[in-house]
Amino acid sequence: MTDHDCRRTVRSAALRSLTERRKPPTPKAVRTITLQALYTHHPHVALEDVLELRVLLEGPRRETPIDEQVDTVLETALNELTKWNMVSPVSV
């Protein structure tokens, strides 16, 4: 699986989980669900990485649409993982 395929898979999984919720998700929920999808679908991301990211990353801004919130969390997480040399840089 290429990095772009993996990114698409993570994004789709996060959006699917978020749209299945009864209530509109909070920014914290968007962050948590997106990071869970990243852990589940990215072969180089360990549980410890996701736990560290949950501490480091803030939730996205509530005013933006859910898909943009997911993209923001995913982009920020992948940038942080790239700094840690855990994943290859991915251009969007």
Side-chain angles (χ1 to χ4, degrees):
M1 180 182 298
T2 67
D3 286 335
H4 287 289
D5 290 340
C6 186
R7 182 186 174 88
R8 265 194 303 273
T9 301
V10 170
R11 184 179 190 275
S12 294
L15 288 172
R16 188 172 37 258
S17 293
L18 289 164
T19 57
E20 291 172 353
R21 296 171 60 94
R22 291 187 179 158
K23 297 181 194 176
T26 64
K28 183 178 176 181
V30 171
R31 181 192 66 201
T32 299
I33 289 171
T34 303
L35 291 176
Q36 286 173 343
L38 183 63
Y39 170 67
T40 302
H41 298 286
H42 199 292
H44 301 285
V45 176
L47 178 59
E48 295 81 13
D49 301 329
V50 170
L51 295 174
E52 183 74 20
L53 288 168
R54 281 193 68 206
V55 172
L56 293 175
L57 302 182
E58 295 180 15
R61 292 194 335 259
R62 185 182 294 266
E63 308 85 45
T64 59
I66 296 298
D67 59 334
E68 288 181 25
Q69 291 182 38
V70 168
D71 290 341
T72 298
V73 172
L74 187 54
E75 183 70 27
T76 305
L78 289 172
N79 284 339
E80 195 65 35
L81 290 167
T82 300
K83 288 180 196 174
W84 301 347
N85 293 321
M86 300 302 294
V87 299
S88 302
V90 177
S91 59
V92 182

